[in-house]
């Protein structure tokens, strides 16, 4: 969202950040209003122009020769930096796990689970690696010492949008601006699954939430992330790092509980009973999961490394004062162990 607004601002500095955010949010809301089929159709085709633009960025930047090899040192400080950056990347990559079922449920029931898994994994890992490596390569150009570093100037002026503008505008002119606009609009495809799943998530909270029309939940979710994005626009890097880390934390805790339940207690897919999903008296009470989640939070707190809090274990994973972020690893481990201990007790008491 914020990156899309930065891209729009890089093309036309007269469009303020909040306007770009609202434009992208409104477009996302319109698409998600029409349900899964429209969302799926949009996602099915929207990657093509985005991929073409990224290939143009790659070609233009490679031809410019402005890639800088920044050798990385070794030591405690670098270890902490790698751990903290890895937590950010993990938080973005693993975000799909919390709502994958909203979309894989539309696969035919006789479709191989292995095929669904592999197609999902390939669809995630290839774009992630490609865009992240391209982003790292372009960002190295900000370290050029030529007295007139257009990359650093562009980044200072409009963040990521200005950096991509510095790659494309001087060499491609108006066509470069068109490419940046396409990239800005590609954020819509990234937002659609998130905001569509917000409504589904809220509707499973209780019977009363199911009675609220889905478009109302979608509208409320849109308003919330607009309210978060506008203040975050001027502090994008700090907001992004903190937000991605927190996503990594809670998803790691969630995955620690879910995977333990799947492999240890349900012993695979045969242990699921889909027909009881809406019958609370036949479902686990969730006490073990909640307490295990609290255990995961304890692990997260001891291992997290943020500007406002550095856990005691995080301090030992890097150089003071920030150490290295191992919050998601510890959150996963604490939650998994906690659930292993608590779930048998819950089963013995409640028999479900």
């Amino acid at each position: 969202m914020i990156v899309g607004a930065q891209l729009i601002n890089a093309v036309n500095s007269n469009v303020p950040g909040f306007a770009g955010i609202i434009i992208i949010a409104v477009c996302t809301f319109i698409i998600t209003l029409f349900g899964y089929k429209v969302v799926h159709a949009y996602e099915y085709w929207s990657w093509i122009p985005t991929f073409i633009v990224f290939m143009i960025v790659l070609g233009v930047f490679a031809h410019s020769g402005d890639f800088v090899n920044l050798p990385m040192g070794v030591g405690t400080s670098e270890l902490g930096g790698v751990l903290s950056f890895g937590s950010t990347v993990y938080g973005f990559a693993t975000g799909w796990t919390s709502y994958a079922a909203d979309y894989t449920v539309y696969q035919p029931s006789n479709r191989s689970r292995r095929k669904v898994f592999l197609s999902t994994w390939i669809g995630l890992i290839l774009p992630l690696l490609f865009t992240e490596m391209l982003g790292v390569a372009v960002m190295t150009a900000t370290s050029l010492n030529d007295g007139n570093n257009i990359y650093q100037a562009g980044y200072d002026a409009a963040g990521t949008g200005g950096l991509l503008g510095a790659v494309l505008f001087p060499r491609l002119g108006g066509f470069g601006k068109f490419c940046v606009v396409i990239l800005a609009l590609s954020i819509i495809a990234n937002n659609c699954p998130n905001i569509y799943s917000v409504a589904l998530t809220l509707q499973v909270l209780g019977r009363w939430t199911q009675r609220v029309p889905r478009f109302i939940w979608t509208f409320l979710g849109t308003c919330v992330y607009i309210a978060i994005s506008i203040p975050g626009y001027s502090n994008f890097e700090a907001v992004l790092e903190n937000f991605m880390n927190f996503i990594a934390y809670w998803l790691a805790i969630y995955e620690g509980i879910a995977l333990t339940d799947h492999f240890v207690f349900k012993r695979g897919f045969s242990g699921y009973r889909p027909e009881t999903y809406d019958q609370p008296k036949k479902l686990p009470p969730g006490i073990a999961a909640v307490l295990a989640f609290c255990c995961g939070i304890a692990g997260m707190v001891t291992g997290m490394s943020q500007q406002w809090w550095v856990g005691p274990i995080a301090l030992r994973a890097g150089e003071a004062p920030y150490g290295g972020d191992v919050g998601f690893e510890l959150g996963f481990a604490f939650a998994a162990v906690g659930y292993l201990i608590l779930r048998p007790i819950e089963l013995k008491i409640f028999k479900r």
Side-chain angles (χ1 to χ4, degrees):
M1 173 68 75
I2 296 176
V3 173
Q6 289 179 340
L7 290 165
I8 293 173
N9 181 259
V11 174
N12 186 349
S13 59
N14 293 323
V15 180
F18 74 87
I21 288 170
I22 292 174
I23 290 170
I24 295 172
V26 169
C27 292
T28 303
F29 176 67
I30 291 172
I31 293 171
T32 55
L33 267 181
F34 297 99
Y36 170 79
K37 290 185 178 180
V38 173
V39 171
H40 179 73
Y42 186 81
E43 300 289 320
Y44 188 82
W45 297 105
S46 63
W47 70 273
I48 298 175
T50 305
F51 178 68
I52 292 172
V53 172
F54 274 128
M55 292 303 294
I56 292 172
V57 172
L58 174 62
V60 170
F61 185 69
H63 184 72
S64 72
D66 290 335
F67 174 80
V68 179
N69 181 23
L70 299 175
M72 185 174 180
V74 295
T76 306
S77 178
E78 285 76 13
L79 171 64
V82 168
L83 287 170
S84 298
F85 181 69
S87 180
T88 303
V89 174
Y90 172 82
F92 183 81
T94 197
W96 178 251
T97 58
S98 62
Y99 55 75
D102 295 344
Y103 305 94
T104 55
V105 72
Y106 290 97
Q107 294 291 327
S109 59
N110 60 352
R111 182 68 50 83
S112 165
R113 288 194 296 264
R114 184 174 298 177
K115 288 182 179 180
V116 174
F117 170 81
L118 289 175
S119 61
T120 303
W121 182 77
I122 292 172
L124 287 171
I125 195 67
L126 294 181
L128 283 170
L129 291 177
F130 173 69
T131 53
E132 287 168 4
M133 290 179 181
L134 178 60
V136 168
V138 174
M139 192 65 188
T140 64
T142 60
S143 63
L144 289 171
N145 296 315
D146 57 3
N148 184 28
N149 191 324
I150 60 173
Y151 302 100
Q152 186 63 57
Y155 187 76
D156 292 340
T160 304
L163 180 61
L164 287 171
V167 175
L168 298 175
F169 296 169
R171 300 170 180 89
L172 300 181
F175 180 69
K177 293 185 176 181
F178 171 76
C179 290
V180 170
V181 171
I182 295 297
L183 287 182
L185 296 178
S186 72
I187 305 297
I188 298 170
N190 191 63
N191 283 353
C192 280
N194 298 308
I195 197 63
Y196 178 75
S197 289
V198 163
L200 296 176
T201 302
L202 290 170
Q203 285 186 319
V204 300
L205 288 178
R207 296 188 185 280
W208 71 271
T209 58
Q210 295 175 14
R211 299 189 186 100
V212 179
R214 188 178 298 173
F215 77 90
I216 293 179
W217 291 126
T218 303
F219 175 75
L220 292 175
T222 300
C223 293
V224 169
Y225 77 77
I226 288 175
I228 295 172
S229 299
I230 290 176
Y233 179 85
S234 56
N235 298 288
F236 173 64
E237 280 192 45
V239 171
L240 176 68
E241 183 174 355
N242 292 334
F243 188 63
M244 287 296 104
N245 280 337
F246 267 97
I247 289 177
Y249 298 148
W250 91 261
L251 283 171
I253 295 170
Y254 160 77
E255 290 161 5
I257 296 170
L259 291 174
T260 303
D261 188 62
H262 176 80
F263 289 108
V264 178
F265 297 104
K266 287 190 171 61
R267 300 186 183 279
F269 291 101
S270 61
Y272 291 87
R273 298 290 179 266
E275 64 274 8
T276 65
Y277 84 97
D278 60 348
Q279 302 176 42
K281 292 183 179 180
K282 295 183 180 181
L283 297 174
I287 297 172
V290 171
L291 294 177
F293 199 93
C294 293
C295 294
I297 292 174
M300 175 196 81
V301 171
T302 59
M304 68 190 297
S305 174
Q306 300 292 322
Q307 290 183 345
W308 43 271
W309 171 256
V310 180
I313 298 179
L315 276 174
R316 296 181 177 275
E319 193 171 277
Y322 294 114
D325 198 312
V326 290
F328 83 84
E329 295 95 335
L330 291 178
F332 182 98
F334 278 48
V337 173
Y339 195 71
L340 277 172
I341 296 170
L342 295 165
R343 179 59 178 151
I345 300 173
E346 185 181 58
L347 280 169
K348 186 175 182 179
I349 296 173
F350 294 96
K351 311 299 182 184
R352 54 190 170 98

